[in-house]
Amino acid sequence: PVPRSRVGRSAVTRRSLGYAYVNFLNAEDSERALEQLNYTPIRGRPCRIMWSQRDPGQRRAGQGNIFIKNLDEAIDNKALHDTFLAFGKILSCKVASNEHGSLGYGFVHYESNDAAEEAIKHVNGMLLNGKKVYVGHHISKKDRQAKIEEARAQYTNCLVSTSPSPRDMRVARL
């Protein structure tokens, strides 16, 4: 039995935001739903089921969150989950994709930082479906942007030319 469920909706348009909360009467039913229904298709798209984390500080802390890049396009959410499950309890797992398929990278969020460290240690540099993958700690977009801006501030080279020759143009494009 499900005493309560709620679909996340836009406050302006009232359209679905693509997620929902489902409350069960007992933890065993929740566990069974997570185990049996995770990654099953809903309207042609695999659903991801995870425990609701009400503390936004915990969600944003990034503890136990890893980033995987250079994934083969055949690797989906379930395959990524099954690959990384050996290292610890997974809270969330996702392959980034668009309407054309996989974008070649994904994220796994572990319950503990130790599990994330083990996954990085064992899978970084491995071949998955014939492609060598990079696995490392997830760095937030804000932190990545700050690093880029810092590097730009250090960059002081420029090309000055009075009459560009073909050779100068090749150098300028580099």
Side-chain angles (χ1 to χ4, degrees), residues 20-164:
Y21 294 97
V22 178
N23 293 48
F24 292 90
L25 289 177
N26 58 55
E28 294 82 27
D29 291 340
S30 301
E31 283 285 348
R32 194 168 44 258
L34 202 145
E35 290 170 11
Q36 293 179 5
L37 299 175
N38 210 2
Y39 307 113
T40 58
I42 297 176
R43 293 190 173 188
R45 294 178 60 193
C47 71
R48 293 185 313 129
I49 302 173
M50 62 198 84
W51 293 105
S52 175
Q53 178 56 263
R54 295 195 181 271
D55 180 7
Q58 284 279 55
R59 288 195 313 263
R60 294 186 188 122
Q63 283 288 81
N65 207 353
I66 63 173
F67 172 73
I68 304 98
K69 71 178 179 180
N70 201 32
L71 289 172
D72 183 76
E73 62 186 32
I75 295 177
D76 61 3
N77 293 328
K78 178 139 180 53
L80 190 67
H81 184 276
D82 293 345
T83 301
F84 283 88
L85 186 58
F87 304 103
K89 184 174 180 184
I90 295 175
L91 300 177
S92 173
C93 179
K94 181 179 182 177
V95 173
S97 61
N98 61 17
E99 63 275 1
H100 304 294
S102 171
L103 295 174
Y105 65 92
F107 305 92
V108 176
H109 191 175
Y110 285 102
E111 185 176 55
S112 74
N113 207 41
D114 292 341
E117 292 291 341
E118 284 298 306
I120 291 168
K121 184 172 123 184
H122 287 90
V123 184
N124 188 31
M126 270 184 60
L127 292 178
L128 293 181
N129 281 15
K131 292 182 83 172
K132 187 175 181 178
V133 295
Y134 164 82
V135 182
H137 290 284
H138 174 260
I139 301 168
S140 72
K141 187 172 185 176
K142 185 177 91 175
D143 291 345
R144 288 193 315 271
Q145 287 298 114
K147 212 172 198 178
I148 290 168
E149 292 303 320
E150 184 180 307
R152 281 189 183 143
Q154 301 295 324
Y155 188 73
T156 58
N157 295 346
C158 66
L159 171 69
V160 178
S161 177
T162 55
S163 60

